Amino acid sequence: MATPPLAASGMAPGPFAGPQAPQATREVNTASLCRIGQETVQDIVYRTMEIFQLLRNMQLPNGVTYHTGTYQDRLAKLQDHLRQLSILFRKLRLVYDKCNENCGGMDPIPIELIPYVEEDGSKNDDRAGPPRFASEERREIAEVNKKLKQKNQQLKQIMDQLRNLIWDINAMLAMRN
């Protein structure tokens, strides 16, 4: 899971370092760097969970008789996990810096320009016009939700009025009998 080293000299490392080497320096792909970064983040999360597990099981020395050997062993494990976590964060920083260096000249794509595509990959037949974007779709959903809430409020008022009317009718029928 370690990052492949970059060749510092003009020749590729290994037994075929002569003039037959096809590429003088080995360039690391940005996508593979991102994959390495993702694996590093997963390792960081795993180590952090282990640290919390150790801390949860570790009793604090508050004057209670405690086995110092067990305490020292758990403390050593905790310090080892913290050291490894520090190494993983440094590795993540190196991967992050290298990705930023490789992508320095690229312009980020604005979120509004990414078209909304349904999960099944097909578009509805009523969308015959130009492609609709996620922000436009979100705005329309918000408008429909607002109208739906207004209609629900109106229906609730009508139901309350009908309930009151039925209550009054039942009260008058009860008084008549």
Side-chain angles (χ1 to χ4, degrees):
M1 193 162 63
T3 58
L6 296 174
S9 66
M11 294 194 290
F16 300 101
Q20 299 151 348
Q23 188 173 356
T25 59
R26 187 171 150 198
E27 187 65 30
V28 179
N29 187 359
T30 304
S32 64
L33 279 175
C34 290
R35 182 186 49 79
I36 291 169
Q38 179 182 4
E39 291 172 358
T40 304
V41 168
Q42 290 172 349
D43 287 345
I44 288 171
V45 169
Y46 178 73
R47 292 284 181 193
T48 305
M49 287 173 40
E50 286 181 351
I51 287 172
F52 283 121
Q53 183 71 26
L54 279 172
L55 289 173
R56 186 175 55 167
N57 293 335
M58 185 181 281
Q59 294 177 356
L60 296 176
N62 55 2
V64 177
T65 307
Y66 191 68
H67 297 89
T68 57
T70 307
Y71 175 75
Q72 292 297 329
D73 182 45
R74 288 182 180 169
L75 184 63
K77 282 183 184 178
L78 181 64
Q79 288 173 343
D80 183 49
H81 282 307
L82 289 173
R83 183 185 56 77
Q84 290 174 355
L85 195 62
S86 175
I87 291 169
L88 287 172
F89 272 112
R90 279 187 253 140
K91 178 181 175 182
L92 185 62
R93 173 50 92 180
L94 290 173
V95 169
Y96 174 77
D97 290 341
K98 185 65 178 174
C99 283
N100 276 344
E101 178 183 313
N102 289 349
C103 299
M106 294 184 184
D107 292 331
I109 299 173
I111 294 175
E112 295 85 38
L113 297 180
I114 299 174
Y116 174 77
V117 178
E118 293 184 14
E119 289 182 13
D120 61 356
S122 65
K123 293 185 177 182
N124 291 342
D125 293 334
D126 60 338
R127 293 189 197 179
R132 295 168 48 159
F133 299 108
S135 61
E136 186 179 321
E137 193 81 18
R138 198 175 313 120
R139 190 176 320 117
E140 287 181 14
I141 290 172
E143 289 174 12
V144 169
N145 282 341
K146 185 179 178 182
K147 289 179 183 177
L148 185 63
K149 285 181 183 180
Q150 290 174 347
K151 291 292 183 182
N152 284 343
Q153 188 66 27
Q154 289 174 354
L155 286 174
K156 185 177 182 274
Q157 289 173 352
I158 291 171
M159 288 171 35
D160 287 341
Q161 289 173 353
L162 282 174
R163 190 177 301 118
N164 288 338
L165 181 64
I166 291 172
W167 183 268
D168 290 341
I169 291 172
N170 286 338
M172 286 194 292
L173 286 175
M175 293 187 83
R176 194 169 109 185
N177 291 336

